Amino acid sequence: MENKYFYTTEVEWTGERHGDLRAPVLPDMQVDAPPEFKGHEGVWTPEHLFVAAVNSCFMTTFLAIAENSKLDFVSFKADAKGKLEKVDGQGLIMSEVVLRPKLLISHARDAERA
């Protein structure tokens, strides 16, 4: 098996700073710039998608590790907050993503392992 994977997306501008984001066999989603960059409230932004990618990667990695190590748990949830800031000489960068996972385990004996 080859260790290369490709993921395809397409975005189409639909006016102002709006766009339709598509990928094969996935539901379409509207994207926009954040309100602080002349976008609109209530629409996914590249910044939200970046933080969501980090958060969902963390979750799926945790799930794989838990499965491989036979960790029995009841629930998993993680909040994520990304910080976009202007850095001299570099422009705007996503400088930090803080993850706050919440894990409910089935047995107290698994606390240290979890």
Side-chain angles (χ1 to χ4, degrees):
M1 181 170 146
E2 196 172 317
N3 288 327
K4 293 180 186 176
Y5 307 95
F6 298 93
Y7 303 90
T8 302
T9 65
E10 174 185 84
V11 67
E12 182 178 357
W13 174 64
T14 59
E16 295 182 1
R17 304 230 173 162
H18 292 289
D20 286 333
L21 181 62
R22 295 184 276 275
V25 304
L26 296 175
D28 293 357
M29 72 174 15
Q30 291 184 337
V31 294
D32 201 335
E36 54 270 24
F37 300 114
K38 300 181 183 177
H40 299 84
E41 290 282 342
V43 184
W44 283 93
T45 69
E47 294 78 4
H48 286 106
L49 293 168
F50 181 89
V51 175
V54 172
N55 202 8
S56 58
C57 183
F58 177 72
M59 180 197 73
T60 57
T61 300
F62 168 79
L63 294 174
I65 292 169
E67 180 182 344
N68 288 336
S69 65
K70 311 250 187 291
L71 176 66
D72 192 20
F73 66 96
V74 176
S75 65
F76 173 91
K77 180 177 170 180
D79 296 329
K81 185 176 186 176
K83 178 168 60 170
L84 182 71
E85 65 180 326
K86 187 170 180 141
V87 176
D88 288 339
Q90 297 183 41
L92 290 167
I93 65 167
M94 188 67 71
S95 62
E96 177 179 84
V97 176
V98 176
L99 297 167
R100 292 186 178 88
K102 295 176 184 144
L103 178 66
L104 181 58
I105 56 176
S106 300
H107 305 287
R109 68 178 181 262
D110 293 331
E112 188 174 323
R113 212 163 51 99

